[in-house]
Amino acid sequence: MKTLLFRILLFLFPLIGNSRALLFPARIDGIDNNSTVEEDDILSTQAVSGNTDCAAASVNTSFFLSFVSYGNYTALPGEGDDSGGLVPQQLVSMSFAIANEANGVYTICAFPLGHLSTPTTGSGGDATWVDDPSWQACADRKDTDGKHRFTIATGAAFDLSDRYISINQTWFCHDDAGHLLAYTGIAKGILNMACADGGELGGYHVENCTSLDVTFPVTLL
């Protein structure tokens, strides 16, 4: 059963570790002068063509979401009753790409939409899946302007009950005088998800839901 659980979890969590490999070239990221990131992880995107007036565009920007999808894995009868609580009754994950239209930076969000409960010691109960719409970290973006190392920090939350998504991000732009300015913005909205039956896989019934690409206006904080 441990092997089965491992196979199922592979559908949820590799996106998080591999998301850096999916990042698109972009122009500018957040700041962290004390960063210890290796040189190979720094994306020198300052010279990449794109929005050349990032600071002005940041005042009225939007987040563009694409490849929006979540997978709902529900255990088949008899498959989710492992005596050790190793196979949860349900596993749910969310993933999407996000672009900040102020600077053209793309990043990836991929995270589970809940967690396993912990059975009371001695109760004999199994661990079960608990929905959790709290904020989750997305993949960071790295950049340099030759003097500083930048990091964009992005977070997201998705509530399955009403399909309401929230995204926040902190990014940095240079103004006309060359000063580095910090912006933090949040965007919210409801996703119109279309679901399809994915059949059975590894002892689970799979439901996959997707959304069309969508743009949400950003409110600066």
Side-chain angles (χ1 to χ4, degrees):
M1 297 303 288
K2 290 183 178 179
T3 300
L4 174 59
L5 176 63
F6 178 73
R7 289 172 59 196
I8 297 301
L9 289 178
L10 285 179
F11 291 102
L12 299 182
F13 302 113
L15 286 174
I16 300 173
N18 294 334
S19 57
R20 293 179 186 277
L22 299 177
L23 299 180
F24 296 89
R27 178 175 175 271
I28 189 167
D29 294 292
I31 185 169
D32 181 2
N33 292 334
N34 297 318
S35 171
T36 58
V37 177
E38 297 295 329
E39 286 297 331
D40 288 345
D41 293 330
I42 300 295
L43 303 175
S44 298
T45 58
Q46 296 292 323
V48 175
S49 61
N51 192 340
T52 58
D53 199 359
C54 172
S58 293
V59 177
N60 186 29
T61 187
S62 298
F63 293 154
F64 175 72
L65 275 59
S66 57
F67 304 104
V68 181
S69 175
Y70 79 76
N72 189 334
Y73 298 80
T74 304
L76 298 172
E79 295 291 340
D81 298 324
D82 182 78
S83 59
L86 295 176
V87 179
Q89 292 289 338
Q90 187 177 27
L91 294 166
V92 184
S93 66
M94 182 71 174
S95 63
F96 56 90
I98 174 176
N100 186 333
E101 295 186 350
N103 52 20
V105 171
Y106 279 80
T107 192
I108 300 296
C109 294
F111 47 84
L113 292 174
H115 61 273
L116 290 175
S117 65
T118 303
T120 304
T121 302
S123 68
D126 294 339
T128 56
W129 185 259
V130 179
D131 289 338
D132 183 1
S134 61
W135 286 94
Q136 304 290 332
C138 300
D140 287 340
R141 288 302 310 271
K142 307 294 182 180
D143 193 12
T144 178
D145 62 359
K147 295 182 179 179
H148 309 94
R149 291 181 176 182
F150 309 138
T151 300
I152 279 185
T154 305
F158 181 65
D159 191 335
L160 279 173
S161 64
D162 56 11
R163 301 184 177 182
Y164 191 79
I165 191 167
S166 303
I167 312 104
N168 67 27
Q169 187 177 90
T170 296
W171 68 98
F172 295 78
C173 302
H174 291 94
D175 63 13
D176 292 339
H179 301 131
L180 196 62
L181 304 178
Y183 297 88
T184 297
I186 187 168
K188 302 177 180 180
I190 295 176
L191 295 176
N192 183 14
M193 310 289 287
C195 299
D197 190 333
E200 298 179 4
L201 180 65
Y204 280 77
H205 177 263
V206 181
E207 179 187 40
N208 184 53
C209 302
T210 59
S211 168
L212 295 176
D213 296 348
V214 61
T215 298
F216 292 122
V218 173
T219 299
L220 294 180
L221 302 178

